Amino acid sequence: MAHLCTRPFPGTSLMNPLGRETAIQKCIWTEDGWLRLSHGGKLPTLETEAPNLPSHPFPAEEPRDHFIINPSFTSIIFS
């Protein structure tokens, strides 16, 4: 399950100056067809075990530093 979270400023429960982050939790399907958090609780855990997936290296890309700023300043065009 993916969800949004924040990192509260120490000593407060309302100030989150570091913004929002995306987190992930492991879920399982129950025998009666409901999706539940794998640890059995109702709230996400602070840490979760990473899945044991094979490595997937991406091919190296040629570095580039040549780009043109669009005159409307709404996008960058890579040449």
Side-chain angles (χ1 to χ4, degrees):
M1 171 179 67
H3 57 92
L4 292 176
C5 61
T6 61
R7 295 184 192 211
F9 194 71
T12 74
S13 62
L14 301 175
M15 294 182 62
N16 299 298
L18 300 177
R20 294 184 300 186
E21 298 181 40
T22 304
I24 192 166
Q25 296 286 313
K26 183 177 179 181
C27 293
I28 57 171
W29 290 101
T30 62
E31 290 183 16
D32 56 354
W34 290 95
L35 186 62
R36 301 282 187 210
L37 292 169
S38 65
H39 69 284
K42 294 183 179 181
L43 298 174
T45 58
L46 294 178
E47 294 183 5
T48 190
E49 187 177 331
N52 186 16
L53 299 174
S55 178
H56 181 78
F58 291 92
E61 291 188 12
E62 185 77 24
R64 58 182 176 181
D65 62 359
H66 47 282
F67 57 91
I68 302 166
I69 297 180
N70 186 323
S72 67
F73 296 104
T74 59
S75 62
I76 296 175
I77 303 169
F78 291 94
S79 59

